Amino acid sequence: MEALETFSTRNVDHDHRVKYWNMVVANTFPGMQVEIPGQSFAGQLQRWSIGEIGLMRAAASRSRVLRLAQCDVGEWAVLHVIHRGFCHVSDGRRSVRAGAGDLIVCDPGRPYTIDVSDRNDCLIAQVPTALMPAIGSCVDSHVTMFSGSDPRVALFRHYLTGLWAFGQSLEEGSEAIMHILAAMASTTMLGERHCDLDGEAPGTLAMLVDHVRRNLGDTELGTASLAVMSGKSPRAVQKAFAQIATSPSAYIRRERLNRAAVLLREHNDRSITSIAFDLGFSDSAFFSRCFRQQFDMTPLDWRRRHQQ
C-alpha cells in the first residue's frame, strides 16, 4: 500500500486557491478541471492506493468538476460514494442527482460534469475494469447511479469507510484487499440502476440542460423556448428543473454567470459589456448586479483578481 497523501487549501492564499485546487485535481484525476464560482472556496483531498486501485476522499465547497473527453485515461471505472452533501452529474445525455449514501459510477474516458454542493464529502475508488469483467453488463451509460437504499451499496459504502479508518495500519494483504474491493464493487453494480432524474421521459432533463449550455447567447432562452424545443409543456419543463432544486430561469442565469466568470478570467481583451451581451444579457448593469450576487464581487474585481 502507498502512503496517504493529503492536499488542502487551508494554508493557500485565497487568490491562488483556484490554481492550486485545479493542479491537485488534474494530478489525481488526469483530464479533469474545476470551475469555482467564488473566492470562499475550501477543499481537501486525500489519496492512497491498494494495489492497482486508487482511493481518494474529497471534501470541498460548491464547485463544478469537468471531465474532458480527449484525455486518455485507460480502462478504468470511477466510483463515487457520497458521504455528505449532494451532487448533480450529467454526461450530456443523462443526468442524475445523488445524495448522501448513493453511488455514482463514471467512465473517465468520456466527458461528464459534476456540480458539487457546498460542504460536500465524497469517497472515490478508481478501479481497473480488468478487475471487474462484468462491468459492461452492470453499467449501461458512462454515468450511472445506484441508490444508497440498496443493501449492496450500503455494504460497499461501509467497506470503503472501514478502509479509510483501518487501511493504513494494514501492513500485508493489499492484493487480497484489492480483489475483495473490486468484487464488492461488481456485486454492488448488479443492483437496481437509477440513470435519470427525469421520471416523465428518459433524458429530458439532460436534453434541456445540454440545450441551455449550448445556447446561452440566445436572448429568448427561457421556459417557453425550452418547452417548444423539447415538445414538453412549460409545466413539464419547470418540473424537470425542480428535481435539481431550481427553476429554468435560475438555472439559465447561473450557467450564463458561470460562463461569464470563465470568459472574464481567460479573455482579458474582451470588454465586460460584450461578454454580457454575448451571453444573453441585454443590460450590463443588470449583469453586474447578478454577477455580484453570485460571486460576491463585481465583474471588474473578478477580472482584476484573476489577472494578478
Side-chain angles (χ1 to χ4, degrees), residues 15 17-19 22 33-39 64 66 257-272 275 279 287 291 295 298-308:
D15 291 342
R17 286 188 176 185
V18 174
K19 182 178 180 179
N22 265 290
Q33 64 182 40
V34 183
E35 294 178 355
I36 298 171
Q39 291 300 306
R64 166 172 290 175
L66 302 96
L257 293 170
N258 285 339
R259 182 74 60 81
V262 174
L263 293 175
L264 287 166
R265 185 174 68 236
E266 297 180 354
H267 297 276
N268 196 40
D269 57 322
R270 296 185 59 184
S271 72
I272 293 174
I275 289 175
L279 290 174
F287 165 72
F291 193 94
F295 297 102
T298 67
L300 182 58
D301 288 340
W302 172 272
R303 168 170 275 174
R304 285 172 174 168
R305 173 165 292 188
H306 287 84
Q307 293 303 314
Q308 293 177 354

Side-chain angles (χ1 to χ4, degrees), residues 176-219:
I177 293 173
M178 177 186 73
H179 286 288
I180 291 171
L181 181 60
M184 291 187 69
S186 297
T187 302
T188 298
M189 288 182 282
L190 294 174
E192 182 181 0
R193 297 179 290 277
H194 299 263
C195 299
D196 291 285
L197 277 174
D198 185 2
E200 292 191 5
T204 298
L205 179 60
M207 174 178 63
L208 295 171
V209 166
D210 182 65
H211 182 80
V212 167
R213 292 176 177 172
R214 288 187 291 105
N215 294 275
L216 293 175
D218 182 0
T219 58

Side-chain angles (χ1 to χ4, degrees), residues 1 167 169-177:
M1 299 184 187
S169 63
L170 299 174
E171 297 180 358
E172 298 180 355
S174 60
E175 188 77 12
I177 293 173

Side-chain angles (χ1 to χ4, degrees), residues 7 17-36 41 43-45 47 56 58 60 63-67 126:
F7 305 88
R17 286 188 176 185
V18 174
K19 182 178 180 179
Y20 173 79
W21 192 247
N22 265 290
M23 178 187 69
V24 171
V25 169
N27 182 261
T28 306
F29 307 101
M32 299 204 84
Q33 64 182 40
V34 183
E35 294 178 355
I36 298 171
F41 178 82
Q44 176 176 286
L45 188 142
R47 68 187 187 194
M56 286 71 69
S63 54
R64 166 172 290 175
V65 183
L66 302 96
R67 168 72 72 178
Q126 190 164 273

Side-chain angles (χ1 to χ4, degrees), residues 6-195:
T6 299
F7 305 88
S8 175
T9 62
R10 184 185 301 274
N11 297 318
V12 178
D13 185 88
H14 283 274
D15 291 342
H16 299 96
R17 286 188 176 185
V18 174
K19 182 178 180 179
Y20 173 79
W21 192 247
N22 265 290
M23 178 187 69
V24 171
V25 169
N27 182 261
T28 306
F29 307 101
M32 299 204 84
Q33 64 182 40
V34 183
E35 294 178 355
I36 298 171
Q39 291 300 306
S40 58
F41 178 82
Q44 176 176 286
L45 188 142
Q46 295 176 293
R47 68 187 187 194
W48 56 298
S49 63
I50 300 178
E52 300 175 54
I53 296 178
L55 295 175
M56 286 71 69
R57 184 164 191 169
S61 336
R62 184 166 65 93
S63 54
R64 166 172 290 175
V65 183
L66 302 96
R67 168 72 72 178
L68 305 181
Q70 65 268 28
C71 181
D72 180 13
V73 293
E75 297 297 322
W76 301 84
V78 182
L79 289 68
H80 306 76
V81 176
I82 312 303
H83 182 66
R84 185 180 63 202
F86 66 89
C87 61
H88 171 230
V89 187
S90 173
D91 63 9
R93 185 170 63 94
R94 291 179 172 177
S95 298
V96 294
R97 183 183 187 277
D102 293 334
L103 166 68
I104 296 177
V105 181
C106 299
D107 175 1
R110 303 166 73 181
Y112 56 84
T113 61
I114 304 177
D115 288 301
V116 177
S117 72
D118 202 19
R119 294 182 293 278
N120 190 272
D121 189 352
C122 184
L123 293 170
I124 305 165
Q126 190 164 273
V127 186
T129 54
L131 296 177
M132 301 185 296
I135 189 173
S137 62
C138 300
V139 178
D140 57 1
S141 169
H142 57 289
V143 171
T144 305
M145 189 183 94
F146 300 84
S147 173
S149 62
D150 188 316
R152 301 175 186 86
V153 176
L155 182 61
F156 181 67
R157 181 175 72 251
H158 286 304
Y159 188 74
L160 272 183
T161 303
L163 281 178
W164 276 100
F166 304 107
Q168 287 294 303
S169 63
L170 299 174
E171 297 180 358
E172 298 180 355
S174 60
E175 188 77 12
I177 293 173
M178 177 186 73
H179 286 288
I180 291 171
L181 181 60
M184 291 187 69
S186 297
T187 302
T188 298
M189 288 182 282
L190 294 174
E192 182 181 0
R193 297 179 290 277
H194 299 263
C195 299

